[in-house]
Amino acid sequence: MRETETPDHLITAAASAYAYPLLVKQLLVNSLSVRADQEITYRGELRYTFAAFHRRVGQLANALASLGVRAGSTVAVMDWDTHRYLESYFAIPMMGATIFTVNVRISAQQIAYTLNDARADVLIVNSEFLPVLEAIRGELKHVREVIVASDDTPMPSTSFAIAGEYEQLVSSMPEDFAFEDFDENTRAAIFYTTGTTGDPKGVCYSHRQIVLHTLATATTLCSPRTGQRLHRDDVYMPITPMFHVLAWGMPYIAVMLGLKIVLPGRYQPDTLLHLKKTERVTFSHCVPTILQMLLDAAARDAHDLSGWTMIIGGSALSPSMCRAALEQGIDVFAGYGMSETGPVAALSQFAPDVATAGIDESVRKRCMTGRPVPMVELRVVDAQMNDVPRDGRAQGEIVLRSPYLTPGYHNKPEASEALWEGGYLHTQDVAVMTPDGYVQIVDRIKDVIKTGGEWVSSIEIEALINELHGVEESAVIGVQDERWGERPKALIVLRPHATLDAQAVRAHLLGHADAKRISRYAVPEAERVIFVAAIPKTSVGKIDKKLLRQRFE
Amino acid sequence: MRETETPDHLITAAASAYAYPLLVKQLLVNSLSVRADQEITYRGELRYTFAAFHRRVGQLANALASLGVRAGSTVAVMDWDTHRYLESYFAIPMMGATIFTVNVRISAQQIAYTLNDARADVLIVNSEFLPVLEAIRGELKHVREVIVASDDTPMPSTSFAIAGEYEQLVSSMPEDFAFEDFDENTRAAIFYTTGTTGDPKGVCYSHRQIVLHTLATATTLCSPRTGQRLHRDDVYMPITPMFHVLAWGMPYIAVMLGLKIVLPGRYQPDTLLHLKKTERVTFSHCVPTILQMLLDAAARDAHDLSGWTMIIGGSALSPSMCRAALEQGIDVFAGYGMSETGPVAALSQFAPDVATAGIDESVRKRCMTGRPVPMVELRVVDAQMNDVPRDGRAQGEIVLRSPYLTPGYHNKPEASEALWEGGYLHTQDVAVMTPDGYVQIVDRIKDVIKTGGEWVSSIEIEALINELHGVEESAVIGVQDERWGERPKALIVLRPHATLDAQAVRAHLLGHADAKRISRYAVPEAERVIFVAAIPKTSVGKIDKKLLRQRFE
């Protein structure tokens, strides 16, 4: 080996060379250069250009600085989808502070918990949410300043000392603010996930993560030849609340690409459909419930939904809803991710040969969980972290690596370690994978039944049982078994006057096993098929399997 | 200010969390997951899948490791555009070593200089280049091992001890290689620029730079609604040599997006046109000379060039060539960058309103230098680093910041400092900028004439002089002037029997000044308009302005 003066594998930088950190502010640079006249509108009522947006970001930063916000501060936002939210997405992180996007749909108690846990010291709050804040006032430990945002509605009376009204405060400020450079690993945002158990957990996003998520997701979304894609002439309107996982990263992508942005305020089907028409919206994303609302409203009032590209996430897109949306001319497809993953991990964009394969195959593929996006290493693994065969049948947990996964929960070291066990982020989603990289989630890992060395999806067995005439609903859980580790136990609620016995259920399932649609291990023994009057549900209406497992332990 | 236990602005990572470094190997992950069966072909003669490509990258790494290549080693490649080159683009950096892409078009002396300067210890060389190596054998200081790549042609006799033939060496190796993680700022590649003066300068690219260039450029290329774009169904064939600035980053983009890749070997118009047809190539990039060659060959033999998207760089795309290419159905547009910039800094993709503005405007916009791409801060500044007005007329130097600019030249600290003076990379290109972000280069900074506080483009004055009847060619340089700093001096070669005097030249230019097409400062005094028999040229046929300036100093 030869000797060298300096290690040859690192590059010597000039002293004056700019070490470009990946910061949120840089997502704005190109749009300001090439699309400064592009529009941003709040409900079609307020309208300004990207150039004006940039000036308002400077004004908001000055307003926040005047209230003591500094690098390291946390500013919480409670608002509907407004131009104010978009300004906050940029101004707050660009100051080196953290934007805390408060989930306004959780309970007041949970909001209090998250505001305290995040140590939010300044609050930007839509006046509609003042009563909620009022209710938890005594519990808030860190909030120093409250800015109220009001759309000309009468301001509710409040006992908070208000620092000012958002618009008045911002518009009175100077436009220039010196946004300094800092470490790209600086925290830019925090959002709380609410699992079924325990306190909400804070998920943090750094500037580096946000920028890389923006670039990788934009590349994926823009790359198809045609269909299920985003392009520079699209008009973007979020229909996933902007408090939620930074609205899937889409507002940052829309700003980077210089798209026209339409902010719809509170989600009301009529307003959304009106804006779709008047502002010529072409690209949105939402949960299935909202899509159904839009389809219903459109059917009622004969709205034209064609030319709308829509990513569906949050929960599974059903084939029937997908078909209904396609019939309305919506280019609809599923996306996969969670708060911890940035969020976009996979998108159900077509493989090259799907587009021409007919409507049934199109619907089937659009409803799948998706295919991983560039830079994301998505594995489906067994309990020993070995990849399961990519045969569309073998089940395993989805584990991930990507440049924008959260490195851990805020102040929850044990949960953080569990999330990252073995160096991969554990999604707790159980899935199968096809040879061409399509992923399909079949269950949550805590609900999957591990029996005889195989993983059996409880949801899959339930669906098969529900096919039987006379079944109202069913729940399948794993119960401990000395020989097999676990065995499935099926609880079945019959419709009035229906007759069905355990042997008939077994015979039905064994038929599916013979046809290789499920494993034989998935068929419960007759004594583990029981008929019940009702199945317990959680507060959001899901089957409470945790309770069932406790009951049958 | 409140006290906190840990700084709130940084995110606490779980001990097991994977700190994802931006490494070249990750550009492969997604394609292997979703397009493992995609094709890579060398001239249509050899053909394998992405899955096989991945295995061969492992084999090449094992072959190189067996020759002592380690993290920190430099492996030089001298080859045409082959599957071997693509394998080297990945295997060498993925080992933590540096790929040195040798410019095979420069002189043997310059090749020797660059091999020594880069301390290349292993060489992969196409047998066609062995005679060149032979000629400089005595001067090579570091080369330990030579791998010869041969396309079944008879191997030239050589005095080098050959470690093996590429294909034999690679195919005999195991496929698994443990590509470790390392610092994303590790050097991945080095390439030498050959300026008009001095020794070639080594430009380094880190893994981080390559990955960010890939993401940002892919986003830009994929984002237009239609036209001047790349998409996942494109078939990619480089026609810029792969030794050149990592062929504009396109091979990495093609691999990341899982495109079919066609490697044409040595550039022969017939082969290129044949591959375009048989392999259904849809996306390429080249210099104007090559485009002209293709247009000529196609005209001769009636080839169909339609459905081919082509980026033109290296030198300016002329309107007449652009129009000719458009007439052949080539979607042609200009790109801007240099070795030091990664390279892509700007692309002449249409602004939203250009597509419908007619053929003349289309040609004009396609031939402009371009519009900056996302993440690139492109400024046009005066000597005090103030932005010049974006009016399409005010001239200044293009300076840049982006996440993939070289931080400095290899072992050239003074040149590196000059490159980065004031914290921006100085391109030495003088340009104007329009309000909607189009950049047009008007001159090189060393040729621009600084007079009366204004910058005057020598090329612009030359073009106006050349309009005059009787002018064969002209050269305009700046000469020192006590009052004005510099003043333009015009040298004119007349056609045989032409008559023209200095006053007529001045009158012509003053007419253009009256029409506000040039500044009045741009018009040389009569005594600075001189007629000469010939204008000296450099070895590549450009006007030798350096020599002219020395002569008239």
Side-chain angles (χ1 to χ4, degrees), chain A residues 1 20 25 160 175 224-225 300 302 314 383 385 418 487 490 493 498:
Chain A
M1 296 294 282
Y20 189 109
K25 68 177 177 181
F160 284 94
E175 294 169 349
R225 176 162 53 181
R300 202 168 52 237
M385 292 291 281
R487 288 295 299 146
V493 179

Side-chain angles (χ1 to χ4, degrees), chain B residues 286-406:
Chain B
C286 64
V287 293
T289 318
I290 295 267
L291 175 58
Q292 190 59 57
M293 256 169 51
L294 293 173
L295 291 172
D296 292 345
R300 202 169 50 235
D301 301 329
H303 284 282
D304 176 14
L305 303 184
S306 66
W308 206 349
T309 302
M310 190 96 71
I311 312 177
I312 303 299
S315 51
L317 171 64
S318 74
S320 59
M321 198 187 301
C322 175
R323 197 177 287 264
L326 287 177
E327 280 166 6
Q328 295 297 318
I330 300 180
D331 184 5
V332 67
F333 62 107
Y336 170 62
M338 43 199 246
S339 306
E340 290 85 341
T341 66
V344 178
L347 290 170
S348 230
Q349 294 171 310
F350 287 164
D353 53 340
V354 176
T356 53
I359 181 72
D360 290 344
E361 182 65 1
S362 167
V363 167
R364 202 174 75 78
K365 287 289 168 67
R366 288 169 190 269
C367 293
M368 290 191 80
T369 304
R371 308 207 304 168
V373 305
M375 308 304 290
V376 171
E377 183 188 350
L378 188 156
R379 297 173 59 199
V380 178
V381 299
D382 64 20
Q384 288 73 47
M385 291 292 282
N386 299 311
D387 291 83
V388 304
R390 293 169 51 131
D391 57 5
R393 302 190 44 79
Q395 299 183 357
E397 186 187 6
I398 297 176
V399 297
L400 297 170
R401 283 179 171 177
S402 97
Y404 43 82
L405 306 179
T406 189

Side-chain angles (χ1 to χ4, degrees), chain B residues 6 142 188 220 223 225 234 243 266 281 318 366 374 442 464 471 485 541:
Chain B
T6 53
H142 305 286
T220 313
S223 62
R225 175 162 54 180
D234 269 319
F243 66 72
R266 187 173 189 166
V281 172
S318 74
R366 288 169 190 269
V442 295
L464 295 176
V471 172

Side-chain angles (χ1 to χ4, degrees), chain B residues 4 31 172 180 304 342 410 430 438:
Chain B
T4 51
S31 301
S172 68
E180 305 290 343
D304 176 14
H410 181 59
V430 175
Y438 275 99

Side-chain angles (χ1 to χ4, degrees), chain B residues 137-153:
Chain B
R137 168 150 203 199
E139 298 166 51
L140 299 181
K141 294 182 192 155
H142 305 286
V143 175
R144 287 189 297 105
E145 301 280 359
V146 176
I147 298 171
V148 172
S150 164
D151 290 347
D152 302 320
T153 51

Side-chain angles (χ1 to χ4, degrees), chain B residues 5 14 64 76 84 91 150 152 169 204 212 214 239 254 296 317 365 402 439 443 460 472 512 538:
Chain B
E5 320 257 300
L64 292 171
R84 298 180 293 258
S150 164
D152 302 320
L169 205 57
C204 301
L212 291 171
T214 305
I239 324 186
D296 292 345
L317 171 64
K365 287 289 168 67
S402 97
V439 179
D443 213 343
E460 215 165 43
E472 172 79 30
H512 282 294
T538 67

Side-chain angles (χ1 to χ4, degrees), chain B residues 48-70:
Chain B
Y48 56 55
T49 63
F50 269 55
F53 173 71
H54 184 229
R55 293 193 293 269
R56 285 183 58 93
V57 164
Q59 289 181 307
L60 174 54
N62 278 313
L64 292 171
S66 76
L67 299 177
V69 172
R70 300 281 178 271

